[in-house]
């Protein structure tokens, strides 16, 4: 009696755990907290231990969720011949090439109507999974397309890959192909832990995924955060006669999802090439928000009959093409290293590079972050290095390429004095960067403080560019931010490339900038760690500058967004006599802002609501929208979760909108937001 019930319990519990695991790893939408999942898992382990003790190892099924932990260490991987070769894709790098492709397809399909399935091109490595009677029995790498390596033990450790398919209407043999990849967050965590263990870091998520999958010890693979999306079928045998496989690629995707296989949520069915280019632009725009790396998008003729009609060329289908994004990484030579002094005195080593085209622009400078990073990446002047420029992020040197290192490279050591003012550079124990101790004596720090003060999100002084600020400081016309308001027309027009007209314009812009808001003014002061949203929180909490000046550290920490470090920085800033002197000078120049009225709780219609803004707004500046939402009592957050109350989605909203829809969160468009603002 007891034995039967244990076996049954094991089965039921496995199913429950598989269900929750699928929700967590594949749908990204867990139903139960992690602690509850862990509890179920431990119960199953205990029951299985009982089964083994009772001499019933057969009750512990190989597809039990406990069997993902990795197995024996292999000596080598076995070769696997693919029953159907694994193909590659032709590439296109421009809209013109996509137009050529579309003309070829039109000809191949005798000008019939067709739809196109568009999906991201995942940057990982291809894999073929073989399910027999719904059970995963083999996973093989692509290899040369004809034969690859058997990495079944390793793939079994990837939670997104079902060990057993859901439902019962799958073919007797089902081969599914897709991409194994490492999500960005997992990659960053893995590299952090590699650094802590003094082990080699990975240059990018693709290398990390490949390195993790090709481990002879599957326990190592099990410890790596790998994920997978499926994108096509391989060999199929014994289809369910009542439910034959689908006729279109898009339907196959839906079918794969029904069987519990992971598919990319960004897949779209499109009507024409124009829509494809829009899809490309929109995915490119939202690339940095996706949780995984992609290197382009793939367009596939959707109808399987039409795919057959178009056929193949050597190793790639004629009915599909990869539309690649500009490469985000490139090789170049590190010519020299200079040191840049930031607004707060932080010294940053900057790599001067032989010009290289990367991420869509020509890059000649890239950050090296700090001395520890230079050492860790083993970078020497003269090295060939990998440069990365992802989206709008500052380009960085990822690593040096040792196999290309010439004989005459030079090691680099950060200076122990500021290269600009000669003051001592100090490094606190808990900081990665050393800092110039010159404060506002250092002209570099002064220049940066003034540039920050004048910048768009701060005082927004139109026409006061970086070069002009540098000239003013070098000519000793401006010593601090308040001097900006004392500039005369003659002083301005004596600067390089400044005439009467531009001097007049600048004077006007400086005058206009005096009408600001308390939040912008606080932000403009450049207090360490006080960014836009902290400045806004301080302004809303205290309403007046004098109140912020008076506040003590405990008080400051009551403000949302303000922790002990920020509170300390604010307090320190307002206790320094030279800062107070500059503040007085600024206020004397006529800077002012509208009074902030305290809103009664009942006037805060968004109190208790968490709001996320995504996409681009066309009628209102994003920061102003954010400020208004906060004023109405909302908490503005950067990412969508089940705690989000409303998502405000502007144009070209991407993954956040999708997630909000999936989670059933209220979505507003820009007009609805503006109506809300008007009605309050
Ligand atoms: S389809 C029959 N779809 O790109 C076509 N491939 O350059 C077979 N890849 O080896 C591939 N994302 O590793 C396809 N959405 C996607 C993809 C994708 C990434 C990789 C795959 C393939 C390589 C071809």
């Amino acid at each position: 009696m007891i034995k039967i019930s244990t076996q049954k319990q094991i089965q039921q519990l496995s199913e429950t755990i598989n269900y929750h695991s699928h929700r967590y790893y594949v749908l990204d939408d867990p139903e139960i907290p992690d602690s509850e999942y862990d509890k179920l898992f431990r119960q199953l382990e205990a029951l299985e231990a009982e089964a083994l003790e009772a001499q019933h190892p057969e009750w512990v099924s190989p597809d039990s969720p406990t069997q993902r932990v990795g197995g024996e260490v292999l000596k080598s991987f076995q070769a696997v011949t693919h029953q159907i070769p694994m193909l590659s894709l032709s590439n296109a790098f421009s809209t013109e090439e996509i137009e050529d492709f579309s003309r070829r397809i039109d000809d191949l399909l005798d000008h019939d109507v067709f739809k196109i399935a568009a999906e991201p091109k995942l940057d990982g490595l291809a894999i073929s999974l073989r399910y027999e009677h719904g059970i995963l029995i083999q996973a093989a790498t692509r290899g040369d397309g004809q034969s690859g390596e058997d990495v079944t033990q390793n793939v079994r450790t990837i939670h997104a890959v079902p060990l057993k398919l859901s439902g019962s209407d799958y073919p007797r043999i089902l081969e599914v192909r897709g991409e194994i990849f490492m999500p960005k967050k997992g990659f960053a965590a893995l590299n952090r832990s590699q650094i802590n263990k003094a082990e080699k870091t990975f240059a990018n998520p693709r290398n990390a995924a490949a390195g993790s999958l090709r481990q002879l010890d599957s326990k190592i693979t099990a410890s790596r955060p790998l994920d997978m999306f499926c994108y096509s079928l391989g060999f199929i045998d014994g289809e369910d006669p009542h439910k034959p496989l689908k006729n279109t690629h898009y339907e196959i995707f839906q079918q794969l999802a029904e069987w519990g296989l992971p598919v990319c949520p960004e897949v779209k069915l499109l009507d024409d090439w124009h829509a494809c280019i829009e899809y490309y632009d929109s995915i490119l725009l939202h690339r940095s928000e996706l949780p995984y790396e992609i290197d382009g998008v793939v367009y596939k003729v959707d109808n399987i009959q039409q795919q057959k009609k178009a056929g193949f060329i050597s190793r790639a289908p004629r009915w599909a093409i990869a539309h690649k994004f500009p490469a985000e990484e490139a090789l170049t030579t590190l010519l020299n290293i200079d040191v840049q002094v930031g607004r707060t005195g932080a010294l940053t080593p900057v790599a001067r590079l032989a010009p290289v085209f990367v991420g869509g622009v020509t890059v000649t400078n890239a950050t090296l972050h700090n001395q520890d990073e230079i050492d860790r990446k083993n970078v020497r002047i003269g090295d060939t290095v990998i440069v990365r420029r992802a989206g709008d992020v500052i380009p960085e040197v990822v690593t040096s390429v040792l196999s290309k290192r010439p004989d005459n490279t030079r090691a680099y050591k950060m200076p122990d004095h500021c290269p600009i003012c000669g003051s001592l550079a100090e490094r606190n124990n808990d900081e990665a960067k050393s800092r110039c101790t010159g404060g506002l004596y250092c002209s570099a720090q002064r220049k940066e403080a003034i540039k920050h003060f004048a910048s768009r999100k701060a005082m927004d002084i139109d026409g006061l560019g970086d070069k002009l600020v540098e000239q003013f400081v070098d000519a000793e016309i401006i010593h601090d931010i308040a001097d900006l308001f004392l500039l005369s027309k003659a002083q301005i027009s004596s600067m390089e490339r400044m005439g009467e007209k531009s001097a007049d314009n600048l004077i006007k812009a400086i005058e206009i900038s005096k009408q600001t808001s308390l939040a912008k003014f606080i932000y403009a002061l450049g207090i360490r760690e006080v960014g836009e949203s902290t400045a806004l929180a301080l302004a809303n909490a205290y309403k007046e500058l004098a109140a912020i000046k008076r506040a003590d550290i405990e008080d400051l920490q009551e403000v949302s967004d303000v922790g002990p470090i920020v509170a300390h920085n604010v307090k320190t800033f307002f206790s320094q006599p030279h800062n107070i002197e500059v503040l007085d000078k600024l206020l004397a120049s006529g800077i002012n802002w509208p009074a902030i009225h305290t809103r009664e709780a009942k006037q805060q219609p968004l109190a208790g609501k968490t709001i996320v803004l995504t996409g681009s707004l066309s009628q209102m500046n994003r920061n102003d929208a954010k400020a208004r939402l906060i004023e109405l009592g909302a908490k503005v957050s950067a990412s969508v979760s089940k705690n989000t109350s409303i998502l405000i989605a502007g144009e070209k909203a991407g993954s956040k909108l999708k997630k909000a829809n999936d989670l059933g969160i209220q979505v507003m468009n820009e007009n609805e937001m503006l109506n809300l603002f008007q009605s309050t």
Side-chain angles (χ1 to χ4, degrees), residues 86-91 119-127 142 178-179 231-232 249 253 295 298 300 312 316-317 319-320 322 324:
M86 289 182 78
L87 302 172
S88 62
L89 291 166
S90 319
N91 290 323
E119 56 200 70
K121 186 168 190 299
L122 307 152
D123 203 5
L125 58 149
I127 194 88
R142 178 172 181 277
E179 197 86 347
Y231 49 62
S232 71
H249 182 71
F253 255 77
D295 58 351
V298 186
K300 296 172 182 169
F312 298 88
W319 43 265
K324 300 284 285 275

Side-chain angles (χ1 to χ4, degrees), residues 120-139:
K121 186 168 190 299
L122 307 152
D123 203 5
L125 58 149
I127 194 88
S128 185
L129 306 178
R130 187 177 170 105
Y131 288 88
E132 291 187 6
H133 305 286
I135 304 291
L136 175 68
I137 58 126
Q138 190 177 68

